[in-house]
Amino acid sequence: APAPAIKTPAAANAKRAATAAPLPAAKRTAVSEAAGSEEEEDAFHYAEQISSFDVLNWELGELGERRGVYGGATADAARLRADALEFRKQLIEIKVTAGQLTMEAYLAELRLKILLEQKVAMAQKAKGTLLGKQRAVHYLKRVKVMRDELTTAEAAAAEGSDEAEIEGDQTQG
């Protein structure tokens, strides 16, 4: 009988890669240049999970200063993560420019991510480890960034609709 499969991070990444949608050409090139490096895959997977432009900027700031969960990051790991975060920002910008991502859809995604990241934070905290607590704090900070972004965007949208109503009233009178 064949030996049972052992679950390792590499095996999990391989399975995820096999079932994932094809990568865009630029990302495929970046990943292949790393010769299958797990760090590279993990950095890109991590960045793919972020939907908030403000969180991407916040993550880059934390990474650049080596604050929070990035305190012990090596220079190579930090560079890989920064590249992945920058790439994710570019993808969001391209989608907006191409009309593939509307403000309404973006805000709906933010609302969903806020809920999901709160759950992730609680799961990390429940682990009861120092790393779990650090990650929980990190996710809760991301939630705060997204809430601030959402509040600002909703206020701007409300202002825009108020201005449109006022302009409409003036043209009728």
Side-chain angles (χ1 to χ4, degrees):
I6 299 173
K7 291 191 177 192
T8 65
N13 285 340
K15 182 178 179 183
R16 185 172 59 233
T19 59
L23 297 172
K27 189 171 177 184
R28 223 179 7 252
T29 301
V31 171
S32 66
E33 286 175 0
S37 162
E38 277 188 46
E39 281 184 357
E40 180 96 5
E41 273 187 46
D42 289 344
F44 277 103
H45 180 71
Y46 181 84
E48 281 179 330
Q49 304 308 307
I50 300 174
S51 298
S52 164
F53 201 80
D54 286 3
V55 167
L56 289 165
N57 286 327
W58 176 81
E59 287 270 352
L60 285 164
E62 291 289 293
L63 184 59
E65 298 292 322
R66 299 290 202 286
R67 291 188 299 245
V69 296
Y70 297 121
T74 65
D76 285 343
R79 182 189 50 76
L80 290 173
R81 178 67 54 97
D83 288 350
L85 294 168
E86 285 291 346
F87 183 76
R88 180 67 177 146
K89 278 178 53 175
Q90 291 171 359
L91 282 178
I92 292 172
E93 289 172 337
I94 289 168
K95 284 182 178 182
V96 169
T97 302
Q100 295 175 343
L101 181 62
T102 65
M103 182 57 81
E104 184 178 296
Y106 178 76
L107 297 179
E109 181 71 13
L110 277 184
R111 287 182 194 99
L112 177 65
K113 287 293 187 171
I114 288 169
L115 296 172
L116 291 173
E117 293 210 4
Q118 285 174 320
K119 289 180 180 181
V120 170
M122 295 305 109
Q124 289 291 330
K125 183 180 177 189
K127 290 181 178 180
T129 64
L130 178 60
L131 182 59
K133 289 176 186 176
Q134 289 172 334
R135 287 180 176 166
V137 167
H138 186 80
Y139 279 99
L140 290 174
K141 286 180 180 178
R142 285 172 39 160
V143 166
K144 182 187 180 322
V145 169
M146 284 188 283
R147 281 187 178 145
D148 291 347
E149 182 180 11
L150 186 61
T151 300
T152 301
E154 288 174 338
E159 249 180 58
S161 66
D162 289 345
E163 289 176 16
E165 287 177 21
I166 292 169
E167 289 173 11
D169 290 345
Q170 290 174 349
T171 58
Q172 292 175 1

PDB file of all heavy atoms in Angstrom, residues 118-155:
ATOM      1  N   GLN A 118     -12.021  40.419  10.769  1.00  0.00           N
ATOM      2  CA  GLN A 118     -12.362  40.365  12.196  1.00  0.00           C
ATOM      3  C   GLN A 118     -12.402  38.911  12.661  1.00  0.00           C
ATOM      4  O   GLN A 118     -11.894  38.588  13.734  1.00  0.00           O
ATOM      5  CB  GLN A 118     -13.717  41.027  12.450  1.00  0.00           C
ATOM      6  CG  GLN A 118     -13.664  42.535  12.388  1.00  0.00           C
ATOM      7  CD  GLN A 118     -15.040  43.158  12.510  1.00  0.00           C
ATOM      8  OE1 GLN A 118     -16.023  42.663  11.941  1.00  0.00           O
ATOM      9  NE2 GLN A 118     -15.120  44.251  13.241  1.00  0.00           N
ATOM     10  N   LYS A 119     -12.962  38.040  11.841  1.00  0.00           N
ATOM     11  CA  LYS A 119     -13.022  36.616  12.187  1.00  0.00           C
ATOM     12  C   LYS A 119     -11.622  36.005  12.231  1.00  0.00           C
ATOM     13  O   LYS A 119     -11.311  35.217  13.124  1.00  0.00           O
ATOM     14  CB  LYS A 119     -13.902  35.859  11.192  1.00  0.00           C
ATOM     15  CG  LYS A 119     -15.369  36.176  11.341  1.00  0.00           C
ATOM     16  CD  LYS A 119     -16.216  35.412  10.355  1.00  0.00           C
ATOM     17  CE  LYS A 119     -17.680  35.773  10.543  1.00  0.00           C
ATOM     18  NZ  LYS A 119     -18.546  35.049   9.622  1.00  0.00           N
ATOM     19  N   VAL A 120     -10.777  36.372  11.271  1.00  0.00           N
ATOM     20  CA  VAL A 120      -9.403  35.874  11.256  1.00  0.00           C
ATOM     21  C   VAL A 120      -8.668  36.337  12.513  1.00  0.00           C
ATOM     22  O   VAL A 120      -7.943  35.558  13.137  1.00  0.00           O
ATOM     23  CB  VAL A 120      -8.656  36.332   9.980  1.00  0.00           C
ATOM     24  CG1 VAL A 120      -7.178  36.037  10.068  1.00  0.00           C
ATOM     25  CG2 VAL A 120      -9.258  35.665   8.752  1.00  0.00           C
ATOM     26  N   ALA A 121      -8.867  37.586  12.888  1.00  0.00           N
ATOM     27  CA  ALA A 121      -8.212  38.129  14.085  1.00  0.00           C
ATOM     28  C   ALA A 121      -8.631  37.345  15.330  1.00  0.00           C
ATOM     29  O   ALA A 121      -7.787  36.996  16.169  1.00  0.00           O
ATOM     30  CB  ALA A 121      -8.543  39.604  14.251  1.00  0.00           C
ATOM     31  N   MET A 122      -9.900  37.059  15.441  1.00  0.00           N
ATOM     32  CA  MET A 122     -10.374  36.310  16.610  1.00  0.00           C
ATOM     33  C   MET A 122      -9.826  34.887  16.619  1.00  0.00           C
ATOM     34  O   MET A 122      -9.471  34.356  17.672  1.00  0.00           O
ATOM     35  CB  MET A 122     -11.906  36.294  16.653  1.00  0.00           C
ATOM     36  CG  MET A 122     -12.542  37.667  16.865  1.00  0.00           C
ATOM     37  SD  MET A 122     -11.949  38.520  18.338  1.00  0.00           S
ATOM     38  CE  MET A 122     -10.967  39.818  17.617  1.00  0.00           C
ATOM     39  N   ALA A 123      -9.727  34.277  15.440  1.00  0.00           N
ATOM     40  CA  ALA A 123      -9.159  32.923  15.347  1.00  0.00           C
ATOM     41  C   ALA A 123      -7.678  32.936  15.734  1.00  0.00           C
ATOM     42  O   ALA A 123      -7.202  32.027  16.423  1.00  0.00           O
ATOM     43  CB  ALA A 123      -9.331  32.371  13.934  1.00  0.00           C
ATOM     44  N   GLN A 124      -6.964  33.959  15.312  1.00  0.00           N
ATOM     45  CA  GLN A 124      -5.544  34.068  15.674  1.00  0.00           C
ATOM     46  C   GLN A 124      -5.392  34.251  17.181  1.00  0.00           C
ATOM     47  O   GLN A 124      -4.538  33.628  17.811  1.00  0.00           O
ATOM     48  CB  GLN A 124      -4.881  35.236  14.918  1.00  0.00           C
ATOM     49  CG  GLN A 124      -4.703  34.996  13.447  1.00  0.00           C
ATOM     50  CD  GLN A 124      -3.673  33.919  13.156  1.00  0.00           C
ATOM     51  OE1 GLN A 124      -2.731  33.709  13.896  1.00  0.00           O
ATOM     52  NE2 GLN A 124      -3.859  33.221  12.053  1.00  0.00           N
ATOM     53  N   LYS A 125      -6.214  35.104  17.745  1.00  0.00           N
ATOM     54  CA  LYS A 125      -6.152  35.357  19.191  1.00  0.00           C
ATOM     55  C   LYS A 125      -6.469  34.082  19.971  1.00  0.00           C
ATOM     56  O   LYS A 125      -5.846  33.798  21.000  1.00  0.00           O
ATOM     57  CB  LYS A 125      -7.129  36.466  19.580  1.00  0.00           C
ATOM     58  CG  LYS A 125      -7.068  36.832  21.037  1.00  0.00           C
ATOM     59  CD  LYS A 125      -8.048  37.924  21.385  1.00  0.00           C
ATOM     60  CE  LYS A 125      -8.010  38.202  22.870  1.00  0.00           C
ATOM     61  NZ  LYS A 125      -9.071  39.101  23.281  1.00  0.00           N
ATOM     62  N   ALA A 126      -7.410  33.303  19.469  1.00  0.00           N
ATOM     63  CA  ALA A 126      -7.841  32.081  20.153  1.00  0.00           C
ATOM     64  C   ALA A 126      -6.728  31.032  20.214  1.00  0.00           C
ATOM     65  O   ALA A 126      -6.765  30.137  21.055  1.00  0.00           O
ATOM     66  CB  ALA A 126      -9.066  31.490  19.456  1.00  0.00           C
ATOM     67  N   LYS A 127      -5.722  31.154  19.364  1.00  0.00           N
ATOM     68  CA  LYS A 127      -4.599  30.210  19.404  1.00  0.00           C
ATOM     69  C   LYS A 127      -3.842  30.305  20.721  1.00  0.00           C
ATOM     70  O   LYS A 127      -3.205  29.339  21.137  1.00  0.00           O
ATOM     71  CB  LYS A 127      -3.639  30.460  18.237  1.00  0.00           C
ATOM     72  CG  LYS A 127      -4.213  30.079  16.893  1.00  0.00           C
ATOM     73  CD  LYS A 127      -3.211  30.331  15.786  1.00  0.00           C
ATOM     74  CE  LYS A 127      -3.765  29.903  14.446  1.00  0.00           C
ATOM     75  NZ  LYS A 127      -2.800  30.137  13.366  1.00  0.00           N
ATOM     76  N   GLY A 128      -3.913  31.471  21.348  1.00  0.00           N
ATOM     77  CA  GLY A 128      -3.280  31.637  22.651  1.00  0.00           C
ATOM     78  C   GLY A 128      -1.762  31.745  22.622  1.00  0.00           C
ATOM     79  O   GLY A 128      -1.116  31.685  23.652  1.00  0.00           O
ATOM     80  N   THR A 129      -1.189  31.920  21.441  1.00  0.00           N
ATOM     81  CA  THR A 129       0.263  32.052  21.337  1.00  0.00           C
ATOM     82  C   THR A 129       0.629  33.521  21.153  1.00  0.00           C
ATOM     83  O   THR A 129      -0.216  34.340  20.771  1.00  0.00           O
ATOM     84  CB  THR A 129       0.808  31.263  20.133  1.00  0.00           C
ATOM     85  OG1 THR A 129       0.274  31.843  18.927  1.00  0.00           O
ATOM     86  CG2 THR A 129       0.433  29.792  20.218  1.00  0.00           C
ATOM     87  N   LEU A 130       1.886  33.835  21.399  1.00  0.00           N
ATOM     88  CA  LEU A 130       2.348  35.206  21.188  1.00  0.00           C
ATOM     89  C   LEU A 130       2.202  35.596  19.716  1.00  0.00           C
ATOM     90  O   LEU A 130       1.709  36.679  19.405  1.00  0.00           O
ATOM     91  CB  LEU A 130       3.807  35.355  21.644  1.00  0.00           C
ATOM     92  CG  LEU A 130       4.419  36.733  21.433  1.00  0.00           C
ATOM     93  CD1 LEU A 130       3.642  37.800  22.207  1.00  0.00           C
ATOM     94  CD2 LEU A 130       5.876  36.736  21.860  1.00  0.00           C
ATOM     95  N   LEU A 131       2.599  34.702  18.817  1.00  0.00           N
ATOM     96  CA  LEU A 131       2.471  34.985  17.395  1.00  0.00           C
ATOM     97  C   LEU A 131       1.005  35.173  17.001  1.00  0.00           C
ATOM     98  O   LEU A 131       0.666  36.071  16.234  1.00  0.00           O
ATOM     99  CB  LEU A 131       3.108  33.870  16.561  1.00  0.00           C
ATOM    100  CG  LEU A 131       3.071  34.074  15.048  1.00  0.00           C
ATOM    101  CD1 LEU A 131       3.793  35.365  14.647  1.00  0.00           C
ATOM    102  CD2 LEU A 131       3.694  32.874  14.348  1.00  0.00           C
ATOM    103  N   GLY A 132       0.135  34.342  17.539  1.00  0.00           N
ATOM    104  CA  GLY A 132      -1.295  34.471  17.267  1.00  0.00           C
ATOM    105  C   GLY A 132      -1.834  35.818  17.726  1.00  0.00           C
ATOM    106  O   GLY A 132      -2.606  36.465  17.019  1.00  0.00           O
ATOM    107  N   LYS A 133      -1.406  36.264  18.887  1.00  0.00           N
ATOM    108  CA  LYS A 133      -1.846  37.566  19.396  1.00  0.00           C
ATOM    109  C   LYS A 133      -1.298  38.699  18.536  1.00  0.00           C
ATOM    110  O   LYS A 133      -2.007  39.669  18.244  1.00  0.00           O
ATOM    111  CB  LYS A 133      -1.412  37.744  20.846  1.00  0.00           C
ATOM    112  CG  LYS A 133      -2.185  36.862  21.802  1.00  0.00           C
ATOM    113  CD  LYS A 133      -1.679  36.977  23.216  1.00  0.00           C
ATOM    114  CE  LYS A 133      -2.389  35.964  24.106  1.00  0.00           C
ATOM    115  NZ  LYS A 133      -1.874  35.981  25.471  1.00  0.00           N
ATOM    116  N   GLN A 134      -0.035  38.578  18.105  1.00  0.00           N
ATOM    117  CA  GLN A 134       0.545  39.609  17.236  1.00  0.00           C
ATOM    118  C   GLN A 134      -0.207  39.682  15.910  1.00  0.00           C
ATOM    119  O   GLN A 134      -0.484  40.765  15.406  1.00  0.00           O
ATOM    120  CB  GLN A 134       2.026  39.315  16.980  1.00  0.00           C
ATOM    121  CG  GLN A 134       2.906  39.548  18.188  1.00  0.00           C
ATOM    122  CD  GLN A 134       4.342  39.069  17.964  1.00  0.00           C
ATOM    123  OE1 GLN A 134       4.602  38.170  17.163  1.00  0.00           O
ATOM    124  NE2 GLN A 134       5.273  39.673  18.684  1.00  0.00           N
ATOM    125  N   ARG A 135      -0.519  38.536  15.372  1.00  0.00           N
ATOM    126  CA  ARG A 135      -1.267  38.516  14.111  1.00  0.00           C
ATOM    127  C   ARG A 135      -2.678  39.069  14.300  1.00  0.00           C
ATOM    128  O   ARG A 135      -3.207  39.763  13.428  1.00  0.00           O
ATOM    129  CB  ARG A 135      -1.321  37.102  13.545  1.00  0.00           C
ATOM    130  CG  ARG A 135       0.011  36.662  12.976  1.00  0.00           C
ATOM    131  CD  ARG A 135      -0.050  35.261  12.421  1.00  0.00           C
ATOM    132  NE  ARG A 135       1.215  34.903  11.804  1.00  0.00           N
ATOM    133  CZ  ARG A 135       1.537  33.671  11.470  1.00  0.00           C
ATOM    134  NH1 ARG A 135       0.690  32.670  11.688  1.00  0.00           N
ATOM    135  NH2 ARG A 135       2.703  33.420  10.917  1.00  0.00           N
ATOM    136  N   ALA A 136      -3.309  38.761  15.412  1.00  0.00           N
ATOM    137  CA  ALA A 136      -4.647  39.283  15.695  1.00  0.00           C
ATOM    138  C   ALA A 136      -4.616  40.813  15.724  1.00  0.00           C
ATOM    139  O   ALA A 136      -5.475  41.472  15.127  1.00  0.00           O
ATOM    140  CB  ALA A 136      -5.172  38.731  17.019  1.00  0.00           C
ATOM    141  N   VAL A 137      -3.626  41.367  16.399  1.00  0.00           N
ATOM    142  CA  VAL A 137      -3.493  42.822  16.457  1.00  0.00           C
ATOM    143  C   VAL A 137      -3.289  43.377  15.049  1.00  0.00           C
ATOM    144  O   VAL A 137      -3.886  44.394  14.674  1.00  0.00           O
ATOM    145  CB  VAL A 137      -2.337  43.240  17.401  1.00  0.00           C
ATOM    146  CG1 VAL A 137      -1.977  44.699  17.237  1.00  0.00           C
ATOM    147  CG2 VAL A 137      -2.703  42.929  18.849  1.00  0.00           C
ATOM    148  N   HIS A 138      -2.458  42.708  14.264  1.00  0.00           N
ATOM    149  CA  HIS A 138      -2.191  43.141  12.896  1.00  0.00           C
ATOM    150  C   HIS A 138      -3.487  43.172  12.077  1.00  0.00           C
ATOM    151  O   HIS A 138      -3.772  44.154  11.382  1.00  0.00           O
ATOM    152  CB  HIS A 138      -1.159  42.199  12.257  1.00  0.00           C
ATOM    153  CG  HIS A 138      -0.705  42.622  10.903  1.00  0.00           C
ATOM    154  ND1 HIS A 138       0.237  43.602  10.716  1.00  0.00           N
ATOM    155  CD2 HIS A 138      -1.070  42.205   9.662  1.00  0.00           C
ATOM    156  CE1 HIS A 138       0.439  43.768   9.426  1.00  0.00           C
ATOM    157  NE2 HIS A 138      -0.337  42.926   8.764  1.00  0.00           N
ATOM    158  N   TYR A 139      -4.276  42.109  12.152  1.00  0.00           N
ATOM    159  CA  TYR A 139      -5.530  42.062  11.401  1.00  0.00           C
ATOM    160  C   TYR A 139      -6.518  43.106  11.893  1.00  0.00           C
ATOM    161  O   TYR A 139      -7.241  43.718  11.096  1.00  0.00           O
ATOM    162  CB  TYR A 139      -6.150  40.660  11.444  1.00  0.00           C
ATOM    163  CG  TYR A 139      -5.527  39.727  10.444  1.00  0.00           C
ATOM    164  CD1 TYR A 139      -4.552  38.809  10.812  1.00  0.00           C
ATOM    165  CD2 TYR A 139      -5.897  39.774   9.102  1.00  0.00           C
ATOM    166  CE1 TYR A 139      -3.964  37.968   9.883  1.00  0.00           C
ATOM    167  CE2 TYR A 139      -5.315  38.925   8.160  1.00  0.00           C
ATOM    168  CZ  TYR A 139      -4.355  38.037   8.560  1.00  0.00           C
ATOM    169  OH  TYR A 139      -3.771  37.213   7.639  1.00  0.00           O
ATOM    170  N   LEU A 140      -6.568  43.349  13.190  1.00  0.00           N
ATOM    171  CA  LEU A 140      -7.483  44.364  13.709  1.00  0.00           C
ATOM    172  C   LEU A 140      -7.054  45.765  13.277  1.00  0.00           C
ATOM    173  O   LEU A 140      -7.903  46.632  13.040  1.00  0.00           O
ATOM    174  CB  LEU A 140      -7.594  44.259  15.229  1.00  0.00           C
ATOM    175  CG  LEU A 140      -8.338  43.007  15.713  1.00  0.00           C
ATOM    176  CD1 LEU A 140      -8.285  42.912  17.232  1.00  0.00           C
ATOM    177  CD2 LEU A 140      -9.783  42.988  15.216  1.00  0.00           C
ATOM    178  N   LYS A 141      -5.760  45.992  13.159  1.00  0.00           N
ATOM    179  CA  LYS A 141      -5.298  47.284  12.627  1.00  0.00           C
ATOM    180  C   LYS A 141      -5.719  47.432  11.171  1.00  0.00           C
ATOM    181  O   LYS A 141      -6.114  48.518  10.732  1.00  0.00           O
ATOM    182  CB  LYS A 141      -3.780  47.408  12.768  1.00  0.00           C
ATOM    183  CG  LYS A 141      -3.334  47.659  14.194  1.00  0.00           C
ATOM    184  CD  LYS A 141      -1.820  47.770  14.288  1.00  0.00           C
ATOM    185  CE  LYS A 141      -1.374  48.019  15.714  1.00  0.00           C
ATOM    186  NZ  LYS A 141       0.103  48.085  15.823  1.00  0.00           N
ATOM    187  N   ARG A 142      -5.654  46.344  10.422  1.00  0.00           N
ATOM    188  CA  ARG A 142      -6.111  46.381   9.037  1.00  0.00           C
ATOM    189  C   ARG A 142      -7.602  46.672   8.968  1.00  0.00           C
ATOM    190  O   ARG A 142      -8.058  47.437   8.102  1.00  0.00           O
ATOM    191  CB  ARG A 142      -5.790  45.060   8.332  1.00  0.00           C
ATOM    192  CG  ARG A 142      -4.329  44.933   7.990  1.00  0.00           C
ATOM    193  CD  ARG A 142      -3.908  43.607   7.470  1.00  0.00           C
ATOM    194  NE  ARG A 142      -4.800  42.913   6.555  1.00  0.00           N
ATOM    195  CZ  ARG A 142      -4.408  41.952   5.734  1.00  0.00           C
ATOM    196  NH1 ARG A 142      -3.142  41.587   5.701  1.00  0.00           N
ATOM    197  NH2 ARG A 142      -5.269  41.351   4.955  1.00  0.00           N
ATOM    198  N   VAL A 143      -8.371  46.097   9.880  1.00  0.00           N
ATOM    199  CA  VAL A 143      -9.811  46.368   9.935  1.00  0.00           C
ATOM    200  C   VAL A 143     -10.054  47.856  10.163  1.00  0.00           C
ATOM    201  O   VAL A 143     -10.902  48.468   9.509  1.00  0.00           O
ATOM    202  CB  VAL A 143     -10.491  45.511  11.027  1.00  0.00           C
ATOM    203  CG1 VAL A 143     -11.895  46.007  11.329  1.00  0.00           C
ATOM    204  CG2 VAL A 143     -10.526  44.046  10.613  1.00  0.00           C
ATOM    205  N   LYS A 144      -9.296  48.452  11.074  1.00  0.00           N
ATOM    206  CA  LYS A 144      -9.447  49.880  11.349  1.00  0.00           C
ATOM    207  C   LYS A 144      -9.136  50.712  10.105  1.00  0.00           C
ATOM    208  O   LYS A 144      -9.866  51.656   9.778  1.00  0.00           O
ATOM    209  CB  LYS A 144      -8.561  50.321  12.504  1.00  0.00           C
ATOM    210  CG  LYS A 144      -8.744  51.802  12.851  1.00  0.00           C
ATOM    211  CD  LYS A 144      -7.774  52.286  13.869  1.00  0.00           C
ATOM    212  CE  LYS A 144      -7.955  53.743  14.223  1.00  0.00           C
ATOM    213  NZ  LYS A 144      -8.307  54.651  13.157  1.00  0.00           N
ATOM    214  N   VAL A 145      -8.077  50.361   9.393  1.00  0.00           N
ATOM    215  CA  VAL A 145      -7.717  51.076   8.158  1.00  0.00           C
ATOM    216  C   VAL A 145      -8.865  50.980   7.160  1.00  0.00           C
ATOM    217  O   VAL A 145      -9.253  51.968   6.535  1.00  0.00           O
ATOM    218  CB  VAL A 145      -6.396  50.524   7.573  1.00  0.00           C
ATOM    219  CG1 VAL A 145      -6.148  51.071   6.172  1.00  0.00           C
ATOM    220  CG2 VAL A 145      -5.227  50.854   8.493  1.00  0.00           C
ATOM    221  N   MET A 146      -9.445  49.778   7.012  1.00  0.00           N
ATOM    222  CA  MET A 146     -10.548  49.596   6.060  1.00  0.00           C
ATOM    223  C   MET A 146     -11.789  50.357   6.491  1.00  0.00           C
ATOM    224  O   MET A 146     -12.490  50.938   5.657  1.00  0.00           O
ATOM    225  CB  MET A 146     -10.869  48.104   5.890  1.00  0.00           C
ATOM    226  CG  MET A 146      -9.859  47.382   5.038  1.00  0.00           C
ATOM    227  SD  MET A 146     -10.336  45.683   4.648  1.00  0.00           S
ATOM    228  CE  MET A 146      -9.955  44.868   6.198  1.00  0.00           C
ATOM    229  N   ARG A 147     -12.073  50.366   7.780  1.00  0.00           N
ATOM    230  CA  ARG A 147     -13.238  51.122   8.260  1.00  0.00           C
ATOM    231  C   ARG A 147     -13.070  52.614   7.977  1.00  0.00           C
ATOM    232  O   ARG A 147     -14.018  53.273   7.552  1.00  0.00           O
ATOM    233  CB  ARG A 147     -13.439  50.897   9.763  1.00  0.00           C
ATOM    234  CG  ARG A 147     -14.094  49.598  10.091  1.00  0.00           C
ATOM    235  CD  ARG A 147     -14.413  49.528  11.562  1.00  0.00           C
ATOM    236  NE  ARG A 147     -15.090  48.285  11.867  1.00  0.00           N
ATOM    237  CZ  ARG A 147     -14.937  47.622  12.985  1.00  0.00           C
ATOM    238  NH1 ARG A 147     -14.126  48.072  13.925  1.00  0.00           N
ATOM    239  NH2 ARG A 147     -15.585  46.499  13.193  1.00  0.00           N
ATOM    240  N   ASP A 148     -11.875  53.126   8.223  1.00  0.00           N
ATOM    241  CA  ASP A 148     -11.611  54.535   7.936  1.00  0.00           C
ATOM    242  C   ASP A 148     -11.765  54.819   6.445  1.00  0.00           C
ATOM    243  O   ASP A 148     -12.358  55.821   6.043  1.00  0.00           O
ATOM    244  CB  ASP A 148     -10.204  54.934   8.402  1.00  0.00           C
ATOM    245  CG  ASP A 148     -10.060  54.945   9.920  1.00  0.00           C
ATOM    246  OD1 ASP A 148     -11.088  54.891  10.631  1.00  0.00           O
ATOM    247  OD2 ASP A 148      -8.903  55.002  10.393  1.00  0.00           O
ATOM    248  N   GLU A 149     -11.242  53.927   5.613  1.00  0.00           N
ATOM    249  CA  GLU A 149     -11.353  54.084   4.165  1.00  0.00           C
ATOM    250  C   GLU A 149     -12.816  54.053   3.734  1.00  0.00           C
ATOM    251  O   GLU A 149     -13.252  54.875   2.916  1.00  0.00           O
ATOM    252  CB  GLU A 149     -10.569  52.965   3.478  1.00  0.00           C
ATOM    253  CG  GLU A 149     -10.568  53.035   1.976  1.00  0.00           C
ATOM    254  CD  GLU A 149      -9.768  51.907   1.335  1.00  0.00           C
ATOM    255  OE1 GLU A 149      -9.383  50.940   2.023  1.00  0.00           O
ATOM    256  OE2 GLU A 149      -9.518  52.000   0.116  1.00  0.00           O
ATOM    257  N   LEU A 150     -13.575  53.126   4.294  1.00  0.00           N
ATOM    258  CA  LEU A 150     -14.991  52.994   3.961  1.00  0.00           C
ATOM    259  C   LEU A 150     -15.768  54.240   4.373  1.00  0.00           C
ATOM    260  O   LEU A 150     -16.568  54.776   3.600  1.00  0.00           O
ATOM    261  CB  LEU A 150     -15.557  51.739   4.644  1.00  0.00           C
ATOM    262  CG  LEU A 150     -16.983  51.344   4.325  1.00  0.00           C
ATOM    263  CD1 LEU A 150     -17.152  51.052   2.837  1.00  0.00           C
ATOM    264  CD2 LEU A 150     -17.374  50.123   5.143  1.00  0.00           C
ATOM    265  N   THR A 151     -15.515  54.729   5.581  1.00  0.00           N
ATOM    266  CA  THR A 151     -16.203  55.929   6.081  1.00  0.00           C
ATOM    267  C   THR A 151     -15.911  57.128   5.182  1.00  0.00           C
ATOM    268  O   THR A 151     -16.819  57.878   4.813  1.00  0.00           O
ATOM    269  CB  THR A 151     -15.765  56.225   7.534  1.00  0.00           C
ATOM    270  OG1 THR A 151     -16.112  55.104   8.343  1.00  0.00           O
ATOM    271  CG2 THR A 151     -16.435  57.470   8.065  1.00  0.00           C
ATOM    272  N   THR A 152     -14.656  57.305   4.823  1.00  0.00           N
ATOM    273  CA  THR A 152     -14.257  58.420   3.959  1.00  0.00           C
ATOM    274  C   THR A 152     -14.916  58.311   2.589  1.00  0.00           C
ATOM    275  O   THR A 152     -15.439  59.299   2.062  1.00  0.00           O
ATOM    276  CB  THR A 152     -12.724  58.459   3.818  1.00  0.00           C
ATOM    277  OG1 THR A 152     -12.137  58.597   5.115  1.00  0.00           O
ATOM    278  CG2 THR A 152     -12.274  59.600   2.931  1.00  0.00           C
ATOM    279  N   ALA A 153     -14.908  57.126   2.011  1.00  0.00           N
ATOM    280  CA  ALA A 153     -15.494  56.927   0.685  1.00  0.00           C
ATOM    281  C   ALA A 153     -17.003  57.130   0.708  1.00  0.00           C
ATOM    282  O   ALA A 153     -17.565  57.738  -0.214  1.00  0.00           O
ATOM    283  CB  ALA A 153     -15.148  55.531   0.172  1.00  0.00           C
ATOM    284  N   GLU A 154     -17.662  56.625   1.744  1.00  0.00           N
ATOM    285  CA  GLU A 154     -19.112  56.802   1.840  1.00  0.00           C
ATOM    286  C   GLU A 154     -19.480  58.271   2.035  1.00  0.00           C
ATOM    287  O   GLU A 154     -20.466  58.752   1.470  1.00  0.00           O
ATOM    288  CB  GLU A 154     -19.672  55.942   2.968  1.00  0.00           C
ATOM    289  CG  GLU A 154     -19.674  54.470   2.628  1.00  0.00           C
ATOM    290  CD  GLU A 154     -20.102  53.572   3.780  1.00  0.00           C
ATOM    291  OE1 GLU A 154     -20.024  53.985   4.957  1.00  0.00           O
ATOM    292  OE2 GLU A 154     -20.520  52.429   3.490  1.00  0.00           O
ATOM    293  N   ALA A 155     -18.677  58.996   2.816  1.00  0.00           N
ATOM    294  CA  ALA A 155     -18.919  60.423   3.008  1.00  0.00           C
ATOM    295  C   ALA A 155     -18.740  61.179   1.696  1.00  0.00           C
ATOM    296  O   ALA A 155     -19.532  62.061   1.359  1.00  0.00           O
ATOM    297  CB  ALA A 155     -17.990  60.980   4.078  1.00  0.00           C
TER     298      ALA A 155
END
